[in-house]
Amino acid sequence: MKTKIIAFLSMALMVCMAATGAKKVHTLGDSTMAPYDESATVTRGWGMYFGNFLTNGWTSINYAKGGRDSRGGYTELWQTAKKNVEAGDYVIITFGHNDEKNSGMDGYALYDYYVSIGDQTAAAAVDKRGTVPSTTYKEWLGKMVDEAKALGATPIICSPVCRSYFTGSKIRRNGRHDLGDDYKVLTAEGPKAGTKLAADDHTMNYAYHSEQLAKEKGVAFIDLTTATAELYESYGDTKCHEYLFDGEGSTHFNTTGALLVARECARLMKAQGVMADDIILPTDLTVTPATGDFGEAYKGQTLTKEFTLNGFGLSPEQGTVTISATEGITLSTNKMEWSNALTTDYAASTLVRTFYAQVKLTDNGTFNGTITVSVSNGSSVEIPVTAKAVVLEGGVEVNAYWRLEKDDSYELTGPATVIAQSHQGMYVQRYSNPSANTTWPEWTGYEASRKTQRNLLTGDAWPADEIDDNPDRYIQWGIKPAAGTELKIDAISLFACGCGGNGMCCHIYYSTDNFETRTTIFEMKKMPANNMQYVESKPVVSLSEGQELLVRVYPWYNGAATGKTICLSDLTIHGMAVDAGTTAVQSVATRSQQAQQCYDLQGRRQPSFRPGLNIVRTSDGTIKKVVY
């Protein structure tokens, strides 16, 4: 019997996937290129839109992540990407923003220096990101180039997009990634401030050294630094920030900015003969995305999707665009006022405009509809819309809950395995209320005295120049299915706030592949102090046996500060456990429902049910998986 039970538990379904032969462009970069969840933030990366300018048969895969320098690009992003790179593919590589950490010094070298002199406090405070333009920056970029070539792919080096740092009407030197006016050098005696370099001295110019590497390696170089400087300057300081950026500084784009940069990269590639026959630069009206696949959600949920109208060289030079939708779809330009039709004007033959569509899943199954965009000249574009309602039933409820009031203990109900809270580059400072005037959402009924977990980064001092994730600093929790089950996650929620000042920022993500990819569920910059924010996501996620769902909070602070904490409370991961095979997982309330024969997951006979998942053989010989 033991052998039979073990054999039963060991059965697996083998799925073989044939290669499709699709041609791919892989994009590697930092937050200016990265994908963002349109429901969580207005920030967009230009890599999200590069595929809009490729002909049919090509697909663009965006591996970029915020906070990565060229070292992280190689050790993390490239290690994921190269599993999918095939001969004939293209690989676009662009880094620089986070390579400037430590004012032009190499982060690992700086860390090693402090360790060598026995200053563990200074070592712990070092941000290990950052490279030297002429040495380690080129070395890490070069590794990606060489390995892409070895796989039969064509690497392309892009210099980093500018920061919109204006002096008068021009982008100043550090905005173009040249630190020649203010940099540091690591010497045998420690970090030393550099002497200001002449304007034509490119020693500390990351964009220049990326171009030199491209020449040395014999690969295409796309000068996005110069191209974006010219783009920003054509708008001027005020309008550039208003029209192209996300309202959170001078680095990250909104939809319009990201789309224009993606188009500029495609235009420059085509002009140089790189993928010239496979790049399209449409001059008529197009809509991004061209199809409205809203994906899956649970019945009763409302899904929102962002679309962008873009046209260059439109005729006539000015006109009106009308957007209408079939029943069940509502439209908006601001996510506040919704209707079945919208109009927008354009001028100077150019249109870049964002609108949103909503679908509420009131019925089971698949929803189908259409959005129609019509131009006053008589032309029109139709966008098919689909969404699928998922009903979660037939399993056993699973709920993992971390109160985070006095320790990191958790409560678990249902068949699952919890991955305990852990810290990377952070620690728990203490458990207390954020402050005497803490504000919770009114619907919670919580008092200001309610205690939370206060977390601080290792070394206690927040660096001055952070604008995004530090990949080496996060707080993590997780869950995975019990043996023999599939776990369907339908809710993730928690509370978060900054304590001690209004400068706390954070991203919160979940991932099912150990953060090779991730989904944003919350982003907030300059969080109001002591004002608890409710974070909630309703994902449609199925975890197979052995697969994990991880939730991470990545905090940083807006400016140099000491002792500021991020406060967390009431993390919940909820779902339903169902059988991973062909038999149902049943819930048993009393021992009177016990079967004639009961076994644990290792096939050992048990005298009675034990808490959790049990294997039973009933009197008619049927084998079932039962939760007690």
Side-chain angles (χ1 to χ4, degrees):
M1 176 58 68
K2 176 178 178 180
T3 302
K4 291 180 180 179
I5 295 292
I6 292 176
F8 171 75
L9 292 172
S10 300
M11 289 190 298
L13 177 65
M14 301 295 291
V15 178
C16 299
M17 299 184 63
T20 62
K23 297 175 288 185
K24 304 179 290 294
V25 178
H26 308 266
T27 56
L28 304 171
D30 56 33
S31 59
T32 60
M33 177 190 262
Y36 293 87
D37 186 334
E38 63 192 39
S39 65
T41 177
V42 300
T43 306
R44 302 289 182 267
W46 68 265
M48 298 171 65
Y49 302 101
F50 183 76
N52 297 358
F53 304 101
L54 300 177
T55 58
N56 291 335
W58 284 90
T59 184
S60 179
I61 306 174
N62 189 5
Y63 301 90
K65 287 184 180 179
R68 273 54 178 183
D69 61 358
S70 57
R71 178 186 279 105
Y74 175 78
T75 60
E76 180 187 354
L77 308 186
W78 174 243
Q79 301 311 311
T80 298
K82 71 179 182 181
K83 300 172 187 175
N84 304 315
V85 173
E86 299 176 315
D89 290 354
Y90 285 78
V91 181
I92 297 177
I93 304 166
T94 178
F95 293 92
H97 289 79
N98 299 294
D99 287 271
E100 297 169 15
K101 302 291 184 184
N102 297 303
S103 301
M105 296 182 292
D106 186 88
Y108 274 77
L110 183 60
Y111 173 84
D112 290 342
Y113 166 76
Y114 285 124
V115 170
S116 72
I117 64 173
D119 191 340
Q120 297 299 328
T121 300
V126 170
D127 185 339
K128 293 182 182 177
R129 292 173 295 172
T131 59
V132 179
S134 60
T135 57
T136 47
Y137 176 63
K138 292 175 65 177
E139 289 168 10
W140 291 110
L141 292 180
K143 286 178 179 288
M144 288 180 270
V145 169
D146 291 343
E147 293 184 17
K149 283 184 174 181
L151 292 171
T154 301
I156 301 166
I157 295 177
C158 290
S159 60
V161 297
C162 285
R163 291 187 173 96
S164 53
Y165 292 168
F166 276 85
T167 296
S169 62
K170 295 293 184 181
I171 299 297
R172 62 179 178 263
R173 194 173 186 178
N174 61 339
R176 291 180 278 111
H177 303 284
D178 183 351
L179 305 185
D181 287 342
D182 185 14
Y183 67 99
K184 293 180 181 178
V185 177
L186 182 59
T187 71
E189 291 75 36
K192 301 295 182 184
T195 303
K196 183 174 179 178
L197 302 176
D200 60 353
D201 187 329
H202 304 298
T203 302
M204 298 304 298
N205 188 332
Y206 289 88
Y208 171 84
H209 286 289
S210 68
E211 182 177 14
Q212 297 310 300
L213 177 67
K215 292 177 179 177
E216 294 165 12
K217 298 290 185 180
V219 300
F221 173 71
I222 304 300
D223 189 357
L224 278 186
T225 307
T226 298
T228 51
E230 293 173 352
L231 174 66
Y232 302 169
E233 289 168 0
S234 72
Y235 281 84
D237 192 349
T238 300
K239 289 184 177 180
C240 176
H241 284 86
E242 179 182 353
Y243 295 153
L244 306 183
F245 287 82
D246 67 355
E248 296 289 348
S250 301
T251 300
H252 298 114
F253 303 116
N254 61 17
T255 303
T256 300
L259 180 66
L260 290 177
V261 171
R263 188 179 192 276
E264 191 65 5
C265 182
R267 183 188 69 80
L268 292 171
M269 287 172 58
K270 191 176 183 72
Q272 292 186 29
V274 180
M275 298 186 68
D277 295 334
D278 301 303
I279 288 176
I280 51 174
L281 299 171
T283 56
D284 54 350
L285 182 69
T286 59
V287 183
T288 304
T291 58
D293 183 358
F294 281 67
E296 295 182 333
Y298 298 105
K299 181 180 176 181
Q301 283 187 259
T302 298
L303 297 176
T304 303
K305 193 170 186 66
E306 178 182 277
F307 295 87
T308 302
L309 304 173
N310 53 92
F312 304 90
L314 296 177
S315 179
E317 291 187 359
Q318 59 184 23
T320 300
V321 174
T322 300
I323 311 165
S324 59
T326 55
E327 185 177 356
I329 305 171
T330 54
L331 307 168
S332 177
T333 57
N334 57 14
K335 292 188 179 180
M336 292 184 289
E337 300 169 328
W338 297 88
S339 64
N340 292 110
L342 304 170
T343 60
T344 184
D345 297 329
Y346 71 87
S349 299
T350 301
L351 172 66
V352 178
R353 193 68 46 82
T354 297
F355 72 93
Y356 305 90
Q358 272 190 351
V359 173
K360 185 172 183 179
L361 299 176
T362 57
D363 299 313
N364 294 339
T366 301
F367 172 89
N368 292 285
T370 304
I371 297 172
T372 302
V373 181
S374 304
V375 188
S376 52
N377 64 9
S379 62
S380 64
V381 177
E382 286 195 350
I383 309 164
V385 170
T386 60
K388 184 177 181 181
V390 178
V391 179
L392 194 58
E393 58 187 15
V396 178
E397 185 177 18
V398 171
N399 195 73
Y401 173 67
W402 287 261
R403 169 63 183 85
L404 304 179
E405 177 186 21
K406 59 183 179 180
D407 55 33
D408 60 2
S409 62
Y410 57 85
E411 299 173 6
L412 174 66
T413 57
T417 300
V418 163
I419 300 166
Q421 184 183 21
S422 61
H423 290 71
Q424 173 69 37
M426 300 197 70
Y427 69 98
V428 178
Q429 184 199 48
R430 66 182 185 273
Y431 292 88
S432 69
N433 62 315
S435 79
N437 61 349
T438 299
T439 301
W440 293 82
E442 185 176 352
W443 57 265
T444 65
Y446 294 160
E447 301 292 336
S449 59
R450 184 178 176 85
K451 292 183 178 180
T452 67
Q453 184 186 78
R454 298 178 62 158
N455 299 275
L456 191 57
L457 79 169
T458 302
D460 296 358
W462 299 92
D465 60 348
E466 293 194 318
I467 58 172
D468 209 328
D469 295 350
N470 182 330
D472 297 322
R473 184 196 308 138
Y474 57 83
I475 307 162
Q476 176 179 282
W477 307 260
I479 196 169
K480 60 183 179 180
T485 69
E486 181 180 353
L487 183 56
K488 296 182 179 295
I489 303 296
D490 65 349
I492 303 168
S493 64
L494 72 154
F495 291 96
C497 81
C499 181
N502 296 319
M504 187 61 67
C505 313
C506 81
H507 287 150
I508 303 178
Y509 309 99
Y510 73 80
S511 174
T512 60
D513 57 11
N514 198 31
F515 276 82
E516 287 192 2
T517 60
R518 61 192 185 180
T519 299
T520 307
I521 60 175
F522 180 77
E523 175 189 353
M524 193 169 188
K525 298 171 183 175
K526 302 178 184 178
M527 302 169 75
N530 313 316
N531 191 324
M532 297 299 296
Q533 306 295 316
Y534 182 57
V535 179
E536 183 181 38
S537 176
K538 298 286 188 180
V540 179
V541 172
S542 293
L543 301 176
S544 57
E545 187 173 344
Q547 192 177 13
E548 300 175 342
L549 179 134
L550 300 176
V551 178
R552 287 182 183 175
V553 176
Y554 283 84
W556 72 97
Y557 203 80
N558 181 41
T562 301
K564 312 297 185 183
T565 58
I566 182 164
C567 303
L568 304 172
S569 181
D570 298 276
L571 171 69
T572 301
I573 304 175
H574 182 272
M576 194 78 73
V578 298
D579 178 49
T582 57
T583 57
V585 178
Q586 300 181 356
S587 182
V588 177
T590 68
R591 292 183 185 271
S592 64
Q593 295 175 267
Q594 291 182 26
Q596 289 186 351
Q597 296 173 354
C598 183
Y599 300 84
D600 66 16
L601 296 180
Q602 286 71 46
R604 296 177 296 229
R605 184 73 177 266
Q606 302 176 157
S608 62
F609 284 152
R610 295 180 179 180
L613 192 67
N614 299 263
I615 306 299
V616 301
R617 178 179 288 274
T618 61
S619 56
D620 64 1
T622 302
I623 293 176
K624 295 182 178 180
K625 299 176 183 178
V626 177
V627 173
Y628 176 72

